[in-house]
Amino acid sequence: GAVVSQHPSWVICKSGTSVKIECRSLDFQATTMFWYRQFPKQSLMLMATSNEGSKATYEQGVEKDKFLINHASLTLSTLTVTSAHPEDSSFYICSARGGYGSGNEQYFGPGTRLTVT
Amino acid sequence: AQRVTQPEKLLSVFKGAPVELKCNYSYSGSPELFWYVQYSRQRLQLLLRHISRESIKGFTADLNKGETSFHLKKPFAQEEDSAMYYCALSTGGGNKLTFGTGTQLKVEL
């Protein structure tokens, strides 16, 4: 089946630094990738939708200058948390979806735990 | 705006007992509903979607537009069903998903 990986699985960084999280579709081409954020004991909140080769579409309330998303290829999307602060500590999950004919199902990555100290 | 409500944070049942995980939604358009499951230490995965009208691992879910519900049911719970279950609503041409807050199902022996 379709597999999505994320790297790193966890990261600790200091306040003010930037962190990049990678999301890869390993065995299929993902025309669309989604980035979610999950706080402890809460649901997944969609942050942004990215389509290969175009700018990401951010959900209301998500700062696009803080959460930079790049979807440079059909198998890789990156989320960069810039100038991270402790309140950015969270679990970040990506999902990938193939193109027309693939059923439009979203396949989820294992998530990345970000802790900002 | 769309919304998905899962009223129960935790549902505990005995093995062999029937299970019903509740999900209600609000959306002005034509909804596409899903159930996702997350087993311990594993990633989120699709369990079933309403358009498929299929039974997966003994689970079924029927979309009731009149009651705006998509409850997940299984007649006889198994220990391996213990997991976190999320109901999700797909909206828009980009198939964005709106998730409910999830229900932790615990099946006790």
Side-chain angles (χ1 to χ4, degrees), chain A:
Chain A
V3 179
V4 175
S5 70
Q6 280 184 244
H7 178 80
S9 55
W10 60 271
V11 58
I12 301 173
C13 70
K14 292 188 176 180
S15 188
T17 61
S18 295
V19 175
K20 180 185 283 187
I21 301 170
E22 292 186 349
C23 177
R24 292 181 185 271
S25 57
L26 298 184
D27 50 3
F28 68 103
Q29 293 185 327
T31 54
T32 305
M33 287 184 169
F34 302 86
W35 286 95
Y36 296 86
R37 185 174 180 176
Q38 186 177 32
F39 290 104
K41 299 187 186 293
Q42 294 189 30
S43 187
L44 286 79
M45 298 295 293
L46 180 65
M47 298 174 66
T49 303
S50 76
N51 291 293
E52 185 265 338
S54 62
K55 289 185 178 180
T57 303
Y58 290 80
E59 294 299 301
Q60 193 172 13
V62 178
E63 298 176 60
K64 62 180 181 181
D65 294 330
K66 181 167 187 62
F67 298 99
L68 301 178
I69 291 171
N70 183 280
H71 192 163
S73 78
L74 285 171
T75 60
L76 173 65
S77 176
T78 60
L79 168 68
T80 302
V81 182
T82 63
S83 186
H85 288 95
E87 57 264 31
D88 298 325
S89 298
S90 190
F91 196 55
Y92 293 87
I93 303 170
C94 75
S95 71
R97 191 188 74 196
Y100 180 78
S102 69
N104 281 329
E105 179 177 340
Q106 287 188 34
Y107 298 94
F108 285 81
T112 297
R113 172 77 58 195
L114 170 62
T115 302
V116 184
T117 61

Side-chain angles (χ1 to χ4, degrees), chain B residues 26-107:
Chain B
S26 63
Y27 179 53
S28 57
S30 183
E32 186 173 357
L33 276 299
F34 302 82
W35 276 100
Y36 282 83
V37 61
Q38 188 169 29
Y39 300 102
S40 179
R41 300 181 190 278
Q42 295 187 29
R43 69 188 66 196
L44 204 63
Q45 57 185 284
L46 178 66
L47 180 62
L48 53 80
R49 63 180 78 187
H50 90 268
I51 58 173
S52 299
R53 301 184 68 81
E54 56 191 347
S55 173
I56 303 293
K57 299 184 179 182
F59 285 97
T60 58
D62 291 318
L63 177 62
N64 186 322
K65 291 187 177 181
E67 296 183 357
T68 60
S69 69
F70 189 56
H71 303 326
L72 183 68
K73 299 177 184 180
K74 184 170 183 176
F76 308 103
Q78 302 299 313
E79 190 180 359
E80 56 265 28
D81 297 329
S82 295
M84 191 73 171
Y85 291 80
Y86 292 95
C87 182
L89 168 69
S90 176
T91 62
N95 296 116
K96 297 190 297 184
L97 289 175
T98 299
F99 284 87
T101 49
T103 298
Q104 180 73 46
L105 174 64
K106 184 177 180 183
V107 180

